[in-house]
Amino acid sequence: MTTLAEQERKLLDLLTSSVHRTFADARAAGVPAEVFDDVESIARSMAAALPIGHFSDRLVGPFYDTSGLTQWRGVSGPVINEAAAAGNLIACQLDGGQWVYPIWQFTEARTVHPHLITLWQTLRESADPWTCAIWLRSPQEEFGDRSAADWITDGHSVDTALVLARAAAQRWTV
């Protein structure tokens, strides 16, 4: 198992190498130093793409916040808000009002896995976002003690998961 400290060291090593390459390429191309004048803004942008930490990480996270998700996906905040409002993005609101987006919903192509959205929309008809997200991430016997999210992202049929999601939603409305 990898610790947070090990992940941090690995990330810093990779970032250091990448930054060194970028500056070497810039020097070789004759790019003026002024291009990099706002290093604090550059650092904030890089950090914004990192998933955020929160107490519910163990249950549902880790997450992107809106700023991090817009940076990572290369879309605007309104696009993120519209997708969340339409139920096409798994989004949960923290107590302070900030929205967070579980990273497990995204594919390598930086899109939301469509079958997870099918389950999300089914569950959301009967429960709040946190209840639905917890259900998606909770191990279930029918999935060999894996979560529905893992089941789907491992390439299994959405039909089995949809039956269970509908049953859960039915129980929640009673």
Side-chain angles (χ1 to χ4, degrees):
M1 176 179 265
T2 304
T3 67
L4 279 176
E6 292 167 331
Q7 290 294 74
E8 179 182 19
R9 173 63 14 225
K10 183 177 178 181
L11 178 62
L12 288 172
D13 290 345
L14 290 169
L15 281 172
T16 299
S17 295
S18 180
V19 169
H20 284 304
R21 268 191 318 277
T22 299
F23 275 84
D25 292 346
R27 279 190 294 278
V31 173
E34 295 79 36
V35 169
F36 298 99
D37 271 354
D38 195 358
V39 292
E40 290 176 3
S41 177
I42 295 168
R44 277 193 306 277
S45 292
M46 292 170 75
L50 296 172
I52 63 168
H54 188 267
F55 74 91
S56 55
D57 281 358
R58 288 191 179 271
L59 297 172
V60 180
F63 305 97
Y64 287 112
D65 62 8
T66 303
S67 174
L69 188 56
T70 60
Q71 291 284 326
W72 184 70
R73 288 188 79 192
V75 298
S76 69
V79 169
I80 298 295
N81 295 339
E82 288 172 21
N88 295 320
L89 178 66
I90 298 172
C92 298
Q93 193 171 25
L94 301 176
D95 290 338
Q98 179 184 23
W99 286 92
V100 292
Y101 313 91
I103 65 171
W104 45 262
Q105 69 184 297
F106 299 105
T107 66
E108 289 182 15
R110 299 182 185 201
T111 61
V112 180
H113 197 292
H115 294 318
L116 289 177
I117 292 305
T118 300
L119 297 176
W120 177 253
Q121 291 170 346
T122 299
L123 295 166
R124 285 289 290 129
E125 292 175 8
S126 302
D128 67 272
W130 284 108
T131 300
C132 298
I134 289 168
W135 186 89
L136 285 167
R137 292 298 292 166
S138 296
Q140 304 209 22
E141 204 174 296
E142 294 86 351
F143 302 130
D145 289 327
R146 290 181 294 172
S147 70
D150 289 340
W151 174 265
I152 292 299
T153 57
D154 286 345
H156 292 93
S157 169
V158 69
D159 296 332
T160 302
L162 196 51
V163 167
L164 294 175
R166 287 180 180 140
Q170 179 76 27
R171 283 191 308 274
W172 296 339
T173 58
V174 175

